[in-house]
Structures are given as C-alpha cells and as structure tokens.
Amino acid sequence: MKIKLVDFTQKAMLLLIAFAFTGQGFAQQNLPFPKTKSASKAGVTLAESEHHWRQEPNRLPKDAPNIVIFLTDDSGFGNTSTFGGPVNTPTFDKLAAEGIKYTSFHTTAICSPTRASLITGRNHHHVGYGQISEFATDWDGYIGEIPKETATLPQILGAYGYTSGAFGKWHNTPTTAINPSGPFDQWPTGLGFDYFYGFLAGEASQYETMLYENTLAVDFPRDKEDYHLTEDLADHAITFMRNQRMSNPDKPFFVYFAPGAVHGPHQVAKEWADKYKGKFDQGWEELRKEIFAKQKEMGIIPENVVLTDISPSMQKWKDIPKNEREFQTRLMEVFAGFLEHTDAQYGKIVDELENLGVKENTLIIYINGDNGSSAEGIKGSISELLAQNSMPSTTEQQLEVLNNEYGGLDALGGPLLEPMYHHGWAWTGSTPFKSTKLVAAHFGGTRNPMVISWPAKIKHDEKVHNQLTHVNDIAPTIYDILGITPPDFYNGVAQDPMDGISFMKTFEGADVKGDKTTQYFEVMGSRGIYKDGWFAGTFGPRIPWDPTASKLAGWNPEDDVWELYNIEEDFSQANDLAKKNPKKLQEMKEAFIIEATKNKVFPIGGSLYIVAYHPEEMKASPLTEWHMYEGMTRIPESQAPKFMSGFSTHSTIEVNMPENANGVLYAVGGLSAGFTVYMQDGVLKAEYNAMTLNRYKVNSGDKIPTGDITIEVIVKAQGKKPLSPSEITLLVNGKEVGKVMAETTVPAIFTASESFDVGMDMGSAVAMEYHKEIPYKFNGKIKKLDIKYID
C-alpha cells in the first residue's frame, strides 16, 4: 500500500508541475475580461477525460455594430457639396441625409499625427507623433512610434471579438522599420489590424503604387490598363467584408478605409476631371464667396459668420498671368475630379454593406480630411515634391516642360506627372476659415467636416451639430457605444489614460452640450488652444504656401504674437480680441503651457528640427557601404544609398553582360525624381531626374563589352549645400566611357514611397526612355553590386 501511495503522490506532483507549465488553472493577467474557459476536462487517461469543443464567449453587446471609418486626405471644410462646396460628393450627401453632420470636428493640421490620434484616442504628441514619420526626432513627443502604453482601437476591438482591416495610406510606421525583415510591431498588423492592404508612406502614385499586403511587398496589377489605386483599395475592402461575413458571420468587422486620396499627387482619369471643365474660371476669391453663400444657404455655418480675408502672403487671382490661368484652373479641375472619384469609391463600399444586408447596423464615420486643404503645391506644380525639397521653379518653366515633353494640359492627372494645385485653391477649400493644412492656429488647418451614420441607432437630424469634437474622441466614442472600458493593462503593459472624450451623447441632438472643454493644437511651431468657448493661437514661423517668406532663421517661439477669438460668437475666427482682452489671452497661453507639458509637446518647434534645421539628421540607414545582389528590390529610400545633394557615391557592378543588353542595373526613386543606371541595346546609360524639370543624362556612346565585366558609377558632389551640382562618371573595366554634370540635385527626398531596386525599376520609371517597359528587368546577370560613400 505504501508503494501505491507513493505512486499516487508522485503522479499528483507531476500533474501539478504540468499544470504550472501549461498555465491551466491559473487566471490570465491583464485582459479586460476573463479568459475563455475550457469545456473539456483532462484526466490522466482518455477514459478519465471529457472532450467538448470550447465556446468563445460573446464579449460584445448583442447588437454591436460593424464599424467603417472613411478618412479622406488633405481635403478641407469647404470642398464637398455636402458642406456647401463645389465638388459633388453623393456618398457624403447620402450618409448625411440619414445621419448627422458635425461642423466643429477637429484634426491636428497634419497627416501622421491625426492618424495616430484617431487610432489611439490620445493626443498626437502623447503618442510620439508631433510630426510625420519621416521627420521624427528623439524627443518623446516626436519619436514617431506609437508606444505600448497606448493600445490602439483595432487592438482593443480585436480583444473583444472584432475582425479588422486597414486599407490605403498607413503613415505611422518608422521609415527605418519599412524593410522585409521588420521589425513589424509598428506596421498595421503589429498594431492590431488583422489585415492590411495599401502603402506605407505619406503619399503614393495612384497608377504605379508600391503596395504591401500585410507585411509583404506586392506589385500593383500591371496588366490592368485602367488601374487606379483608390478603386483597387475599395475592391480589396469589399473582398475583406465578404470573406469576413462568410467565415465569421456572428462577428462584427471594423474597416479603416484611408485611401491617401486626395493628397498629392492629384491623379485621376481624364473623364472625372472633365466633369469640372470651366467651373473654376472665376478664380479662387470668387469661388470662395460662392461657397460661403452656399454654406449659409444650407445652414452649415451660422448666419452671423464673417468670411475671412485672403492672407497678404497669398497670391491673388488677378495677379495670375492670363496665359497661366488655364493651367491653374485645370489643376483645380483635376483635384475636384479626384475628390468626387474618391467619394464614389466610398459609395461602392456603402453599396456592399447594403448588399451584405448589414448597413442598417453599421456605424459609418466619414471624415473629409485628416487636416485642412493642402497649400503645398505653392503656386501650382507638375511635380509636387519640388516644394518639399525647397527647389525653386517658375510656373513658366513648368509649363514649358509640360507642353514640350508631356503634350500639354491633358497630361495633368495622368500617370506621368505628379501635379498639385495652387495654394489659392487650398485656401478656397478651407472656406470660411483662415489658412490651410500645417497651420494649427487657424481652423483652415484643423477643422474638417464629419458625418456619422448608423440607421439602427442614430436618427437623422436636419440641424448641424456644432459641439466641439476632435479626432482623439473617435476611439473613446466607439468604446462608449460598445460598453467597453479601456483596459488598465494591455499585453502586460500599464496603459495611459485616454485624452479623447466620448461624444456619443451628442447623437441625441444638436442642442446637447458636449463634454469637451479643452483641446490644444501644435504642428511645426504653429499652435493654439481651445478652452471653454475661447481659442488662442499663434501662426508660427513657417508659411505653408510661401516657404521663402518663412521666418525660421533665429526664430524664438517666445516672441510669437498670439491671437484670441471668442468661438461662441465668432465661428470663422474673423475678430481677433487679443488687444482688447489681454487678461483672457494670458489665461489661454497659460492653459496651453499646461496642456503642452502634459502631452510632451516641448520643445516648441521640435517638429521643425529635421525638416527646417537639420535635414542631415533625418532617420536613415547608418551604413556607409552596401553589398547588394540581383533581385533585391523594394528597399526604402531611407535605407538605401543617397544620391541627394552633398552625397558622393562609388558604385561597382560585377555583371555578366549579354549582347545588346537591356534593363535596369539599379535605380532609386520614380517618375518625379530619382537616379537610374541601365542598359539599352548594349549601351550603358544613366539619368539623374531632378524633380521632372531637369533630367541629366549620360551614356557610353558605343556598345560596351559583353561577358564578365566591371561597371563603375561615380557620383561626385561638387558641394555640400542643397541643390549643389554632382558630376556623374561611367567607367567600364576601368575605362571612362561617359561623364555629365547634374547642375541641380535633389536636397532631401526623390519620392515619398518609391524604392531602391537592383536589376529592375519597381513602381514608376525614373527615366522616361523605358517607362513603357517598366519594370525593365535586366536580361543579363548581376553578380554583385557594391555602393559606398566617398569623400
């Protein structure tokens, strides 16, 4: 008997040890709900065990809605027909006719920060996004990584049973993490989405997009002649919803649809732009008056609103030469067509909700803009990143290239150019407010129209809802709808409190008082604060529509002049009360300091450190030498060798060259700008594309030798200053075969989303000579490519 007792004791001890290792019988920590209990019971033997498949408990209300968020890019308060604008947006109109219009909804005035705030429910600096990903710095409020202490909307919804998909633009992954080996924790799927299809950048070509599916780089469908990114994204979102309803019909889904339209480049098929032929010939001041009158007629804005004046630093329509006006109006026609086309893709998704029989119980949040309309096209451009690179040009120069090399105005909106409209149209798109995107002190930068539709629960209200709301309120409102209390811990990490406040109670009526009393704003030194019906702000040192007039050198934020507005009486910020009420202004400035301290905003101007003062410290690969091989593609520009102003490189290519060889040896960038080395009918060629306006070309003249050869490409910077020339030399087997001086080089970035590729040119073509044959894969054998920086 003693032996049997010992055997039993040993068995019990072994079972206890096993349970300890498997975690059975122990509560799982840090989840906002109990762990799923097993329906099966494990004995020592099968005969002593019971087996029943466990059932996942329902952690959501029985009628939990599907959730769809539409987030348009770079469209302001006054663009859409739904809010009195000139652009037809029937989907926006339809949802507004069955839901609620919000006229005091705010964003952060810039892209990545708005998106980070939306998906976390916190202020943008609080989650490290005081600036876009590319210009991140090492201060906590500008680090460009969403911290683990701020679990995202898809992470929390996923824990409660939602299936989530993100489609389109994702601008919240550090540039240094965009590579095949990760890390992937800051990618959409690492931040809670079950599925992602789109691009990881601030902008992308609508025709030749560098796409990702989950964490894998995928090519756009090159065999589809009429391909357009926004249409493709809508098709994938529809497929996602159908698959989810087929496989998990009892689970709700969350679709985050942020297509990147209508951020530049403005690209849409000609028939969409042609819908607006002649509709903007009156110019931006007159169009703004028309929009303002329509907004009053529709009741979008209060009857006593004053239309704000054009800024003295903006160009007036009368000052546009008559021979340039057709160009300027066509740019606006393309934008308008692009915006209507985008709304039509939202319509396809809404139609599919009806087709699936779920629209009635789907919460749709349609936000028209992640900031105000963008003035970054400056005076209108065929190559929008000219402005971001501070590369001077004239409209006359651009028209010469447009007419002589691209066939004229009909090329605008097509796949070969990356146009952006004049800042005057952006100002019009922000009617009735002052300023545009990148200005946090004026509502033209931060106030965007929003519509919410949920037929099962929200009654249509003809009155507009003017309660002050902010993008950081979206997540808390969704949690409130679902009865979710955000967890104190997520994945073992203590969570920071929400900054946003639920506005669910405002669904009940336009007269219901909102709970938000304070909200700060800041981007690139432009800043402001709302508190109890008042707003104070200061414009900051940077003028988005006229960078040459910006006052960055020697700027001291303590010297900035502040403005003061009583928003309860002054919807458009037309009456500055700073001089009349200095006591209130001081009170507001002190409130800003408190909010800035709580939210990691300091140092003021932290978001300017890279973009304005130290571009050389921009996040990039620490390498000074690269060893690459054929087939290495989709290497982000930030991780690749630089061929920008001030950088000198020596490339050595070991290659087996066939007769009459064709194809790209290596390339970086795309149709707007880049550098490429390629073969054409046995001739070695290179081209430096300096933002479309200047293309510097060199070739070997004669065909180069075949067989095993060594090609060298030396790019020698002639100075360290932005735009400094670079000399490009080609050598074959040690012998110089060609040389050219690139008189103007690109200072900062070739493109926002194109890549460095070996043996082909992915995305769009750097050189027009082979754009019809893209990706123009090399038909020889590249054994090795070595590139190093040289003095």
Side-chain angles (χ1 to χ4, degrees):
M1 293 298 294
K2 288 184 180 180
I3 295 175
K4 288 184 180 180
L5 182 59
V6 171
D7 285 346
F8 176 80
T9 304
Q10 289 175 335
K11 185 184 291 186
M13 290 296 293
L14 289 170
L15 285 170
L16 284 172
I17 293 169
F19 269 80
F21 275 103
T22 60
Q24 294 185 55
F26 294 89
Q28 190 169 346
Q29 301 296 310
N30 304 328
L31 288 174
F33 41 75
K35 182 187 175 184
T36 302
K37 292 182 179 179
S38 171
S40 301
K41 295 179 181 178
V44 176
T45 66
L46 284 174
E48 297 172 299
S49 304
E50 294 180 10
H51 182 269
H52 307 283
W53 284 111
R54 67 195 66 194
Q55 298 296 313
E56 188 76 14
N58 185 9
R59 302 182 177 101
L60 291 164
K62 186 178 180 181
D63 56 352
N66 301 300
I67 301 167
V68 175
I69 296 177
F70 295 128
L71 181 63
T72 311
D73 204 327
D74 279 7
S75 181
F77 189 86
N79 279 323
T80 68
S81 58
T82 316
F83 284 76
V87 180
N88 293 323
T89 47
T91 305
F92 210 13
D93 292 345
K94 174 183 177 180
L95 295 173
E98 63 189 32
I100 304 170
K101 293 180 185 176
Y102 283 83
T103 56
S104 292
F105 176 79
H106 285 266
T107 54
T108 68
I110 189 172
C111 170
S112 298
T114 289
R115 293 154 196 269
S117 183
L118 188 155
I119 66 167
T120 63
R122 279 91 170 180
N123 286 315
H124 54 302
H125 294 87
H126 183 168
V127 294
Y129 269 95
Q131 177 56 287
I132 64 172
S133 302
E134 291 84 346
F135 301 136
T137 61
D138 198 53
W139 293 296
D140 287 347
Y142 305 88
I143 198 72
E145 295 184 24
I146 292 175
K148 297 186 186 304
E149 291 83 2
T150 58
T152 66
L153 179 60
Q155 285 174 327
I156 302 302
L157 291 183
Y160 276 86
Y162 273 81
T163 306
S164 60
F167 303 88
K169 171 175 170 175
W170 183 267
H171 202 192
N172 294 104
T173 298
T175 55
T176 48
I178 303 174
N179 62 71
S181 58
F184 299 114
D185 60 310
Q186 292 285 313
W187 288 51
T189 52
L191 289 168
F193 286 101
D194 297 298
Y195 179 78
F196 170 69
Y197 183 79
F199 61 96
L200 303 175
E203 64 181 55
S205 165
Q206 293 290 316
Y207 299 109
E208 297 166 309
T209 317
M210 308 295 270
L211 290 164
Y212 289 88
E213 187 167 28
N214 298 320
T215 58
L216 296 178
V218 295
D219 204 5
F220 65 92
R222 296 181 182 274
D223 57 347
K224 187 174 171 57
E225 288 187 12
D226 59 348
Y227 177 81
H228 193 279
L229 171 62
T230 315
E231 297 173 7
D232 185 23
L233 295 171
D235 291 342
H236 275 77
I238 288 168
T239 299
F240 170 82
M241 293 190 300
R242 288 176 177 174
N243 287 338
Q244 194 274 345
R245 297 302 295 166
M246 179 272 294
S247 57
N248 293 293
D250 296 329
K251 277 190 173 185
F253 57 75
F254 167 39
V255 169
Y256 174 57
F257 193 83
V262 287
H263 193 292
H266 296 161
Q267 295 174 318
V268 74
K270 185 175 181 294
E271 58 265 28
W272 287 90
D274 285 349
K275 290 185 175 189
Y276 294 90
K277 274 273 191 184
K279 293 188 181 295
F280 308 117
D281 292 352
Q282 69 273 46
W284 37 80
E285 290 105 325
E286 289 304 312
L287 178 60
R288 189 169 156 97
K289 291 176 184 177
E290 294 169 14
I291 295 169
F292 182 68
K294 188 68 174 178
Q295 289 173 334
K296 281 196 172 183
E297 177 189 326
M298 294 175 63
I300 298 298
I301 59 178
E303 192 58 39
N304 67 343
V305 173
V306 175
L307 181 62
T308 55
D309 294 331
I310 191 169
S311 167
S313 57
M314 288 181 173
Q315 190 175 23
K316 295 181 178 179
W317 182 251
K318 69 180 179 62
D319 296 327
I320 301 293
K322 289 186 178 179
N323 66 336
E324 295 178 4
R325 291 186 180 182
E326 190 178 13
F327 169 64
Q328 300 295 359
T329 55
R330 186 56 178 174
L331 288 173
M332 181 58 185
E333 290 165 8
V334 170
F335 170 83
F338 193 17
L339 181 56
E340 181 176 344
H341 175 266
T342 302
D343 180 84
Q345 307 319 304
Y346 299 161
K348 286 165 56 176
I349 294 171
V350 173
D351 289 347
E352 183 60 27
L353 293 172
E354 292 178 341
N355 178 54
L356 294 171
V358 298
K359 181 176 176 294
E360 182 77 9
N361 194 34
T362 297
L363 172 69
I364 301 176
I365 303 173
Y366 186 146
I367 303 168
N368 184 60
D370 55 349
N371 39 246
S373 295
S374 173
E376 293 161 295
I378 313 301
K379 293 186 177 180
S381 180
I382 64 171
S383 182
E384 53 139 356
L385 288 181
L386 279 165
Q388 279 75 3
N389 279 285
S390 300
M391 297 178 72
S393 66
T394 65
T395 304
E396 187 178 11
Q397 284 176 302
Q398 300 205 40
L399 283 173
E400 183 179 353
V401 173
L402 175 65
N403 292 324
N404 294 342
E405 298 182 29
Y406 294 91
L409 295 177
D410 280 351
L412 297 174
L416 298 182
L417 291 170
E418 299 198 337
M420 184 80 173
Y421 62 10
H422 190 287
H423 68 257
W425 302 122
W427 172 66
T428 295
S430 293
T431 304
F433 306 118
K434 301 175 185 178
S435 301
T436 64
K437 172 185 177 180
L438 303 181
V439 178
H442 295 149
F443 293 165
T446 66
R447 188 167 282 191
N448 292 87
M450 177 175 70
V451 163
I452 295 183
S453 167
W454 184 14
K457 297 289 183 179
I458 295 177
K459 293 180 180 179
H460 170 60
D461 193 344
E462 285 292 338
K463 293 182 180 179
V464 298
H465 287 220
N466 195 35
Q467 298 97 337
L468 188 120
T469 48
H470 188 271
V471 67
N472 63 22
D473 300 327
I474 296 292
T477 301
I478 291 172
Y479 297 149
D480 195 9
I481 288 169
L482 298 173
I484 292 175
T485 300
D488 295 327
F489 288 83
Y490 184 83
N491 280 353
V493 179
Q495 295 294 288
D496 291 351
M498 294 281 161
D499 297 318
I501 298 172
S502 171
F503 58 89
M504 183 177 74
K505 73 177 191 179
T506 68
F507 297 169
E508 297 171 10
D511 299 325
V512 175
K513 186 176 175 61
D515 290 329
K516 200 171 197 78
T517 59
T518 306
Q519 180 60 52
Y520 84 91
F521 301 85
E522 193 280 337
V523 56
M524 290 193 269
S526 181
R527 53 207 190 273
I529 184 164
Y530 168 89
K531 185 174 175 61
D532 297 326
W534 289 81
F535 188 94
T538 182
F539 189 89
R542 194 171 182 272
I543 304 175
W545 49 86
D546 189 5
T548 59
S550 296
K551 299 175 182 178
L552 293 162
W555 169 64
N556 182 351
E558 294 183 357
D559 296 333
D560 287 345
V561 177
W562 284 66
E563 303 164 7
L564 178 68
Y565 302 98
N566 182 346
I567 301 305
E568 298 291 327
E569 301 174 359
D570 182 12
F571 183 86
S572 62
Q573 297 177 301
N575 184 22
D576 181 6
L577 301 173
K579 291 181 179 178
K580 291 183 178 179
N581 199 339
K583 184 178 179 181
K584 171 58 76 171
L585 178 61
Q586 184 59 34
E587 176 189 320
M588 296 292 285
K589 289 167 71 173
E590 290 172 1
F592 177 84
I593 294 296
I594 292 170
E595 294 302 308
T597 303
K598 290 192 319 191
N599 287 281
K600 309 175 186 177
V601 177
F602 296 123
I604 298 297
S607 50
L608 289 166
Y609 183 80
I610 297 292
V611 69
Y613 299 117
H614 294 284
E616 75 281 1
E617 293 189 40
M618 188 173 171
K619 266 190 175 183
S621 171
L623 300 178
T624 57
E625 292 188 27
W626 288 259
H627 305 291
M628 302 177 175
Y629 299 90
E630 187 170 359
M632 287 184 170
T633 61
R634 301 291 298 271
I635 302 166
E637 198 175 307
S638 64
Q639 301 302 295
K642 291 185 179 293
F643 295 86
M644 325 307 294
S645 304
F647 285 87
S648 296
T649 60
H650 188 153
S651 306
T652 303
I653 314 167
E654 301 291 340
V655 60
N656 184 271
M657 188 68 65
E659 289 189 15
N660 300 315
N662 287 287
V664 172
L665 298 173
Y666 70 85
V668 60
L671 66 90
S672 63
F675 181 62
T676 180
V677 179
Y678 62 101
M679 299 296 303
Q680 192 166 62
D681 297 328
V683 177
L684 175 63
K685 299 186 175 185
E687 179 174 324
Y688 193 104
N689 175 357
M691 285 297 152
T692 304
L693 297 189
N694 296 290
R695 294 176 179 270
Y696 304 100
K697 304 176 183 181
V698 60
N699 66 69
S700 60
D702 298 324
K703 294 181 180 182
I704 64 174
T706 58
D708 291 338
I709 64 170
T710 300
I711 296 171
E712 295 172 83
V713 182
I714 300 173
V715 179
K716 182 66 176 175
Q718 305 299 293
K720 293 293 185 183
K721 292 183 178 179
L723 308 175
S724 294
S726 284
E727 183 182 70
I728 302 168
T729 305
L730 305 180
L731 300 98
V732 178
N733 292 333
K735 179 183 176 182
E736 183 180 309
V737 295
K739 181 179 289 187
V740 70
M741 184 68 73
E743 298 292 345
T744 300
T745 56
V746 177
I749 56 171
F750 287 137
T751 71
S753 61
E754 301 259 7
S755 60
F756 187 102
D757 308 303
V758 182
M760 65 188 77
D761 186 354
M762 300 294 289
S764 62
V766 175
M768 289 293 292
E769 201 164 26
Y770 60 77
H771 83 89
K772 291 183 179 179
E773 302 170 75
I774 203 76
Y776 201 42
K777 188 174 182 179
F778 179 55
N779 63 352
K781 176 66 178 176
I782 299 172
K783 298 178 179 179
K784 191 177 182 183
L785 166 63
D786 294 328
I787 302 179
K788 63 181 179 181
Y789 291 143
I790 57 175
D791 295 329

